[in-house]
Amino acid sequence: MALARSPLQGQPQEDGGELVQMALDVAGSLDPREVIARILERGTHAVRADRGTLSSLVDDQVVVEATYGRGGELTWVGQRYALDYFEGQPLVKQAIESLQPAFGGRLALDKAAPEFRQALANVRHVAVLPLVHRGKAIGMLVFSRYEEKPFTGDDRAALTLLSAISGLALRNARLYEEGEAARQRADETAARLRAAVDAAEDVASQVRLDQVLGRLLERAAASVGADGTSLARLDGGEMVIESTPTGELVGTRWPLMPKVLAGVATGRAVELSAAEYTGAPPGMELVVQPYQRFLVAPLVVGGETIGLLAMGRKADEPFDPAAVQALQQFSTLGALLLRNARLIAQARDAEQAKSEFMSVAVHELRAPLTVTGGYLAMALEGDFGELPKPLRHVLETAQRKTEEAKALAAELLTVARLEGKALTPNVKPVSVADAVREALARARPRAELVRANVQMEPGDEVMVLADEALVGKILDNLLNNALTYANHPPTIQVGASREGEQVAVSVADDGIGISPQDQGRIFGRFTRGTDPLVAEKPGSGLGLYLSRGLAEQMGGSLQLQSSHPGKGSTFVLRLPAAVS
Ligand code: ADP
């Protein structure tokens, strides 16, 4: 350690004020080693000693920290002795017991440790100063003179002050050091917690229950340094393994040991040695055999233990208490995630059941609609004889409504399939120009009816990777809307262009447009615009919802690019481009 040379070095100190200055100087550092060095260096010169040695008293041990020779050399010793070793030194004993400086001739040579005998042989006079904090000796300073110059009354006053200040300075430095260590421990804990939070986010981003569990196990094992891990749910007095990294043992039942049960009751992690782990069911002893240490943490949500996280370590080393604490945070987060994943899974099951119900219901609906539609068509074609005019009119309306109901049923069926994840697009390269041309051909009768001007822009001759039928459905919806939502014969422009990895197909009209409030809603399920003209037109509010879902199912998107009330709207369908 580099020591600043004391201004006092070499010039014996005479003045008490300077001693105070020196004491303040000593107290000016918070690094224990630096404080010790300063005490020794400045103290030795201040009391005109030839050597100063500082020892700490820790429990029942004396630790000789450092010794300083007047020539300027500071040596770190670090030697530990049992306190009774100094019993043979009456001067030391007196100082420590009385908590007052003790002065005398040389220390007892024959009782000194061999390594000190040489140094002690030169000593003529010794001052032993206890370093006192709160009425207890926490260390001592020994100053020795090699010349025949006893410590005087003045020296004693100075030494008493030095001892008081040194005791304080050393204590403060130690406290500070402890504080730093505590802070560091806190930082480490914070880092572990951050790891747990990262893990939570990571785990949370996994939607499937088995993935959630797998991730949780991986992260938890890494955080405590475990070799094996499993997650179990509690079922009566047993635990049932729900997840292991390899998937083996899942579904096996294990008894709960009393020690684990006690931990579960307090919500704390329990550590077990191999000898204590006696819970393997018959035939499964081999599973736990490689492990020397076990750590079992309860998964607690809202005060209820829903499961256990078990860790095994092959080395016979106890788990680090900080890691165990982190694991506890971990399992709390894990438990929450686990429960959420369960809720999501349940919700998904319910949603799936709903979709399945819907598809069954729609199927049931379609059959009678087809029959009714057939009879209506036959009647209108005269198969049942000449129809009176008013009846024909009614039947025509009925036929139109039946067709609408059939279209709605078809739409609902697609929605049910999409939501029930039962719709798998049949993806292959599709020519956008062909798909648009076919959709325009299908829309022609309606376009003629409303005297629309439909233009297909030349655009890029591009191919997409998509399901031809689904692309057709989306284009039909967009064209249908463009033809429907206009209060004058509309002009519709369809274009296609390559945009990097995607192809954008745009359908622009000059119709009624969509108000800013409606723009955020129209892609919702069963949602229609609030414009009065919309209410006049038939529609289910499913077209855009379904079209967007289909586009996404094919790895694409559907967006309203722009819309101005009274001026028209542009929708853009984006699909993955086929590599050309
Ligand atoms: P539907 O047409 O059956 O109402 P959609 O999901 O296809 O259902 O459309 C939702 C709503 O979006 C429509 O009710 C209408 O308000 C609005 N909309 C869709 N396309 C257009 C368009 N081209 N111009 C104006 N409004 C439109």
Side-chain angles (χ1 to χ4, degrees), residues 302-540:
E304 187 201 351
T305 302
I306 60 166
L308 293 174
L309 197 56
M311 303 279 150
R313 182 179 269 182
K314 289 182 178 162
D316 194 7
E317 287 161 18
F319 287 93
D320 172 9
V324 173
Q325 218 178 356
L327 184 68
Q328 230 143 19
Q329 308 292 342
F330 221 117
S331 26
T332 308
L333 286 165
L336 269 175
L337 292 168
L338 188 65
R339 198 195 48 178
N340 286 354
R342 286 229 170 96
L343 291 177
I344 291 171
Q346 279 168 8
R348 196 177 310 112
D349 288 350
E351 188 66 27
Q352 197 150 350
K354 205 174 71 190
S355 298
E356 275 162 22
F357 168 77
M358 198 153 106
S359 82
V360 171
V362 172
H363 262 298
E364 297 296 309
L365 195 68
R366 277 204 331 169
L369 280 176
T370 310
V371 175
T372 319
Y375 280 129
L376 285 170
M378 283 161 74
L380 285 167
E381 276 161 22
D383 287 11
F384 306 120
E386 193 63 31
L387 293 176
K389 226 184 187 153
L391 181 58
R392 164 169 287 276
H393 195 66
V394 169
L395 290 188
E396 272 169 359
T397 308
Q399 190 186 36
R400 220 177 34 251
K401 290 291 167 198
T402 307
E403 287 309 310
E404 276 171 23
K406 271 166 73 180
L408 175 63
E411 237 172 11
L412 284 173
L413 198 61
T414 317
V415 168
R417 285 217 198 102
L418 189 71
E419 291 179 349
K421 304 269 180 289
L423 192 141
T424 324
N426 177 17
V427 173
K428 38 182 200 235
V430 173
S431 153
V432 172
D434 287 352
V436 170
R437 257 193 294 273
E438 285 160 23
L440 290 182
R442 287 191 294 273
R444 186 164 307 126
R446 276 211 64 207
E448 281 170 2
L449 209 63
V450 297
R451 299 194 313 281
N453 173 16
V454 185
Q455 301 163 0
M456 185 176 165
E457 291 168 1
D460 302 341
E461 191 46 50
V462 279
M463 302 287 286
V464 288
L465 270 183
D467 181 317
E468 202 173 355
L470 300 186
V471 174
K473 261 191 209 296
I474 300 172
L475 290 176
D476 287 351
N477 266 326
L478 294 179
L479 287 171
N480 212 11
N481 284 347
L483 290 168
T484 305
Y485 301 113
N487 47 16
H488 58 84
T491 297
I492 302 168
Q493 288 175 311
V494 185
S497 60
R498 175 96 186 221
E499 282 181 358
E501 306 277 283
Q502 289 187 311
V503 170
V505 187
S506 62
V507 178
D509 64 59
D510 60 351
I512 58 169
I514 301 161
S515 69
Q517 306 90 277
D518 280 353
Q519 288 182 16
R521 313 172 39 242
I522 52 170
F523 286 95
R525 208 173 184 231
F526 296 114
T527 45
R528 306 199 69 204
T530 49
D531 191 296
L533 189 136
V534 172
E536 287 172 20
K537 313 270 180 178
S540 61

Side-chain angles (χ1 to χ4, degrees), residues 53 107 129 144 175 189 194 226 234 244 260 269 356 363 398 458 489 526:
T53 302
L107 291 171
L129 315 182
S144 33
L175 281 178
T189 309
R194 253 195 309 279
L234 290 182
T244 58
V260 172
E356 275 162 22
H363 262 298
F526 296 114

Side-chain angles (χ1 to χ4, degrees), residues 12-263:
Q13 107 88 38
E14 242 98 59
D15 179 298
E18 272 187 65
L19 187 74
V20 170
Q21 183 53 48
M22 182 218 69
L24 290 176
D25 196 17
V26 160
S29 169
L30 281 171
D31 173 355
R33 277 169 83 93
E34 199 169 339
V35 168
I36 290 172
R38 284 186 191 181
I39 291 172
L40 285 176
E41 185 205 15
R42 305 204 180 164
T44 304
H45 291 285
V47 302
R48 282 162 290 158
D50 292 291
R51 175 158 297 277
T53 302
L54 190 147
S55 309
S56 309
L57 302 180
V58 188
D59 302 327
D60 52 355
Q61 289 199 312
V62 179
V63 184
V64 181
E65 304 275 5
T67 180
Y68 176 81
R70 192 182 175 85
E73 76 286 1
L74 177 82
T75 312
W76 292 100
V77 181
Q79 189 85 36
R80 283 172 175 268
Y81 298 95
L83 201 52
D84 57 14
Y85 166 78
F86 283 89
E87 288 282 317
Q89 299 290 359
L91 210 55
V92 170
K93 198 169 155 53
Q94 182 195 329
I96 299 294
E97 282 176 4
S98 68
L99 300 181
Q100 296 293 327
F103 300 91
R106 64 181 58 189
L107 291 171
L109 209 59
D110 54 329
K111 301 277 172 38
E115 60 267 36
F116 290 127
R117 277 190 199 145
Q118 177 68 39
L120 288 178
N122 298 326
V123 172
R124 296 285 171 274
H125 293 279
V126 180
V128 183
L129 315 182
L131 302 180
V132 182
H133 179 75
R134 290 217 179 132
K136 262 184 70 185
I138 58 164
M140 65 179 172
L141 265 170
V142 179
F143 289 113
S144 33
R145 285 181 177 165
Y146 297 163
E147 285 164 38
E148 202 37 70
K149 273 197 230 148
F151 287 95
T152 64
D154 273 359
D155 289 332
R156 289 171 189 228
L159 285 166
T160 307
L161 184 61
L162 180 66
S163 118
I165 298 287
S166 299
L168 260 178
L170 194 63
R171 181 70 197 153
N172 283 350
R174 286 262 146 83
L175 281 178
Y176 182 77
E177 196 180 42
E178 279 166 24
E180 279 293 284
R183 221 187 322 275
Q184 198 166 337
R185 279 198 299 277
D187 281 353
E188 277 167 20
T189 309
R192 283 181 195 276
L193 275 180
R194 253 195 309 279
V197 171
D198 283 352
E201 281 171 5
D202 177 21
V203 170
S205 66
Q206 307 293 319
V207 200
R208 289 182 44 203
L209 187 58
D210 50 349
Q211 283 173 349
V212 171
L213 297 181
R215 294 297 263 216
L216 182 69
L217 286 181
E218 255 172 49
R219 295 293 199 130
S223 96
V224 295
D227 303 296
T229 155
S230 73
L231 190 138
R233 106 183 107 82
L234 290 182
D235 190 10
E238 291 182 315
M239 55 184 195
V240 183
I241 309 265
E242 288 234 331
S243 177
T244 58
T246 56
E248 55 188 337
L249 299 176
V250 169
T252 54
R253 302 181 82 88
W254 295 61
L256 276 174
M257 282 169 292
K259 192 168 173 187
V260 172
L261 265 177

